Amino acid sequence: MKKQMSESIRLGVVLAIAGGFMDAYSYMCRGKVFANAQTGNILLLGIHLSEQNWSVALRYTVPIIAFAVGIALSDLIRLKLKEKSLLHWRQISILIEAVVLAGVCFLPQKYNLWANSMTSFACGIQVESFRKIHGNGIATTMCIGNLRSATQNMCEYWHTKEKKKLKKGFLYYGVILCFVLGAILGNVFVEVLREKAIMICSGILFIGFIMMFVDWEKSR
């Protein structure tokens, strides 16, 4: 079966780096809120609600909602433009994501709630738009599912000796390593550029947008 441009390993690497970058940026530069890890945000929301820290709870609530809105927008783009646009609908999604993140860099610290919400919105777009690499269900904005799948495939390889299981395991672990690399880059650039660091991530995503014009299967 022919692979889509949006499922190439090259693009998956770029997206995973961007995913790690966004989480490091929002956590290290924007008040300890996760851009991607909504489980962490929901946990912290529950803790602060139990302590009746309403203003702090709001700091986690709005990004969670923004993440869901990003998912919804991605689906609407897919449903409305799938067959009607010169660009692939996923190209439109990644371009919107890059533009939104570019806007975040202009928000000072006093607007962290909106900065985190915009970043989570962009993450929601990415997590819904890009869900496969070479036909395998892989997330580029979080690691728990990838870690489970990687370990499962390695265990199945140990049991069956099927090389395809080994390759899948390495693919999942590779995406996790790219996410870690993105987090390292995010933290490094936050130290240097502070709020403006997210512009680097926007540039990475724009590179991904350009890459989607190339059919990697045909170019081999």
Side-chain angles (χ1 to χ4, degrees):
M1 184 174 68
K2 185 178 182 296
K3 304 294 189 301
Q4 295 185 21
M5 294 179 292
S6 57
E7 294 184 19
S8 72
I9 292 177
R10 294 171 180 84
L11 182 61
V13 166
V14 169
L15 293 172
I17 291 172
F21 197 115
M22 283 185 276
D23 243 0
Y25 173 82
S26 64
Y27 190 82
M28 299 304 298
C29 185
R30 295 293 188 172
K32 309 296 182 182
V33 175
F34 293 107
N36 297 322
Q38 298 306 318
T39 300
N41 287 339
I42 292 170
L43 170 65
L44 292 169
L45 169 62
I47 290 171
H48 290 293
L49 286 176
S50 71
E51 296 175 350
Q52 299 182 16
N53 295 327
W54 311 121
S55 61
V56 180
L58 181 66
R59 193 170 74 191
Y60 296 100
T61 302
V62 179
I64 293 168
I65 294 171
F67 186 86
V69 172
I71 292 172
L73 177 63
S74 176
D75 264 342
L76 287 174
I77 292 171
R78 175 179 62 84
L79 294 170
K80 296 291 185 180
L81 302 179
K82 190 172 183 180
E83 305 295 339
K84 302 178 182 179
S85 175
L86 294 176
L87 297 175
H88 191 282
W89 70 270
R90 289 189 176 93
Q91 285 180 294
I92 296 173
S93 291
I94 198 173
L95 185 59
I96 293 173
E97 187 182 357
V99 170
V100 168
L101 291 180
V104 171
C105 78
F106 297 105
L107 297 176
Q109 286 289 316
K110 65 179 179 178
Y111 296 120
N112 277 353
L113 177 62
W114 301 112
N116 285 325
S117 298
M118 290 170 66
T119 307
S120 290
F121 171 76
C123 289
I125 292 175
Q126 182 170 318
V127 76
E128 182 66 8
S129 299
F130 302 93
R131 297 190 288 182
K132 291 183 179 182
I133 296 178
H134 273 202
N136 301 292
I138 296 180
T140 57
T141 60
M142 57 195 74
C143 294
I144 185 170
N146 295 339
L147 183 58
R148 180 199 64 78
S149 296
T151 306
Q152 176 187 342
N153 276 283
M154 287 302 189
C155 288
E156 290 180 359
Y157 168 73
W158 179 80
H159 180 69
T160 66
K161 305 305 180 187
E162 294 182 41
K163 288 188 177 180
K164 67 178 182 179
K165 298 294 183 182
L166 183 63
K167 289 180 179 179
K168 282 188 178 182
F170 279 126
L171 176 61
Y172 281 104
Y173 281 132
V175 171
I176 293 172
L177 287 176
C178 291
F179 186 92
V180 173
L181 174 60
I184 293 170
L185 291 173
N187 192 42
V188 168
F189 280 107
V190 163
E191 290 292 327
V192 177
L193 301 176
R194 303 305 302 165
E195 293 84 3
K196 299 295 189 294
I198 197 64
M199 186 62 79
I200 303 297
C201 189
S202 178
I204 292 171
L205 289 168
F206 187 73
I207 290 172
F209 169 75
I210 298 299
M211 288 172 63
M212 291 182 71
F213 285 101
V214 179
D215 189 335
W216 298 106
E217 298 297 316
K218 289 183 179 180
S219 63
R220 287 181 179 178

